[in-house]
Amino acid sequence: MFATYLIGLREGLEATLVVSILVAFLVKSQRRDRLPQVWAGVGLAVALSVVFGWLIEYTSTSLLARSEDRELFEAVTSVAAVVFVTWMIFWMRKAARTIAGELRGKLTEALAVGSLAVAGMAFLAVIREGLETALIFYSAAQSAAGGTGAGALLSLAGGVATAVVIGFLLYRSALKINLSKFFTWTGALLILVAAGILKYGVHDFQEAGVLPGLNNQAFDISSTLDPNAWYGALLAGMFNITAAPTVLEMIAWVAYAVPVLVLFLRKPASPARPAAPAAPPAATGDPATTPAEPAAATTPAEPTEPAAAEAPTTTATQRA
């Protein structure tokens, strides 16, 4: 169940940081009267995310009668969850330093429009995280062979609750953690979780008859990796590492995990420094006949705008 806890922690902390940025901006701008609209938008986003998660579970358990249809549905949702996970971790790494400035700019525009725009802006900022959480949670819980039962739901709720506590302490400046390293490590773990979800999706495609090779096992290490032991259950629950996978399952796991991990952990190239301007050639000849250097422009330079505030990726959000 650690995989579902990790999903709740990661997605919950992203949503909590977004909300804390919005709340801090309104408080510092002396616009506390707009806080109810922000909380209304957040609440609606959470409610719709819960409904979306229930709809996925209801479709799988009640609307699909044939086992082949259920397997195909779970396979499709697994692939969609892997796409969302991959997009989310790379987007967060790229946008972490500018998300605060972008959110504040959008909120400023929403304040000029009215209360509904403020609520809508908060709703859109949170709903993406909520829908991703519902889809990824369903796929991770299914791949762990435990289903979306009480244990999986409690693990997810525990991760979200932990994220809310961390976000509140960051907002109150009572806790300082390196969020950049946090998102890097959790992102790497989620890539392995996503590889397990993809492996599970391939297995479902095989059971649904879409892909061949259901009985072609890559290896069988049941004597070494006991699925009933605690370590076997841990590996299967977190990364869907099983003792007797099929060939296509292992190909999918390795083909996804290795290149995505390499791309994610690779440090971005530092921007090249501009070349130093060449020194002007020494003047020669008669000074009276040598043309003078053109005078420097006297037009005053335009004032540069202040840099956008960075998101709280390395330090805590300042106390309002």
Side-chain angles (χ1 to χ4, degrees):
M1 295 303 175
F2 180 76
T4 54
Y5 175 84
L6 179 65
I7 291 170
L9 176 62
R10 167 82 186 215
E11 295 285 343
L13 188 56
E14 288 186 17
T16 302
L17 289 177
V18 169
V19 174
S20 68
I21 291 171
L22 299 179
V23 172
F25 178 77
L26 289 177
V27 172
K28 291 180 179 296
S29 303
Q30 303 298 321
R31 298 303 304 270
R32 292 177 180 267
D33 58 308
R34 295 302 187 186
L35 287 177
Q37 285 79 29
V38 170
W39 294 120
V42 171
L44 181 59
V46 172
L48 286 182
S49 300
V50 173
V51 171
F52 178 68
W54 171 84
L55 182 60
I56 294 176
E57 177 68 13
Y58 180 75
T59 301
S60 175
T61 57
S62 300
L63 296 183
L64 300 177
R66 296 195 313 156
S67 60
E68 293 83 359
D69 294 336
R70 289 195 294 269
E71 298 293 345
L72 184 58
F73 177 78
E74 292 177 4
V76 172
T77 54
S78 296
V79 174
V82 172
V83 173
F84 274 116
V85 168
T86 309
W87 176 82
M88 175 262 297
I89 58 177
F90 280 96
W91 175 85
M92 191 62 188
R93 187 182 69 169
K94 179 181 179 180
R97 293 187 175 274
T98 59
I99 186 173
E102 293 177 358
L103 286 174
R104 289 164 184 158
K106 292 179 180 178
L107 187 55
T108 301
E109 297 175 357
L111 286 171
V113 175
S115 58
L116 287 180
V118 174
M121 191 263 172
F123 169 80
L124 293 175
V126 177
I127 189 63
R128 179 181 61 84
E129 306 293 344
L131 296 181
E132 286 179 2
T133 303
L135 180 60
I136 297 169
F137 161 71
Y138 172 80
S139 300
Q142 293 295 331
S143 67
T148 53
L153 287 173
L154 289 176
S155 299
L156 179 71
V160 174
T162 304
V164 171
V165 172
I166 293 175
F168 177 77
L169 293 177
L170 287 172
Y171 176 77
R172 289 296 184 180
S173 298
L175 178 66
K176 293 185 178 181
I177 61 176
N178 191 323
L179 290 177
S180 178
K181 291 184 177 180
F182 172 84
F183 283 121
T184 298
W185 283 104
T186 56
L189 286 175
L190 277 181
I191 289 174
L192 296 179
V193 171
I197 294 175
L198 180 61
K199 175 177 174 288
Y200 177 80
V202 170
H203 183 79
D204 277 343
F205 275 127
Q206 290 177 316
E207 289 190 339
V210 176
L211 293 177
L214 180 60
N215 298 319
N216 297 333
Q217 294 183 346
F219 50 80
D220 189 349
I221 55 173
S222 301
S223 58
T224 303
L225 183 61
D226 185 3
N228 297 320
W230 67 268
Y231 54 87
L234 181 64
L235 290 175
M238 284 187 63
F239 311 123
N240 197 26
I241 296 178
T242 55
T246 66
V247 175
L248 283 182
E249 287 179 54
M250 285 308 303
I251 291 176
W253 199 97
V254 174
Y256 173 84
V258 174
V260 175
L261 269 177
V262 170
L263 290 175
F264 179 73
L265 297 177
R266 184 182 62 180
K267 293 183 178 180
S270 57
R273 295 181 178 179
T284 58
D286 189 352
T289 59
T290 302
E293 291 283 344
T298 57
T299 304
E302 295 183 358
T304 57
E305 296 183 359
E310 294 184 353
T313 55
T314 55
T315 59
T317 308
Q318 295 183 355
R319 184 174 181 177

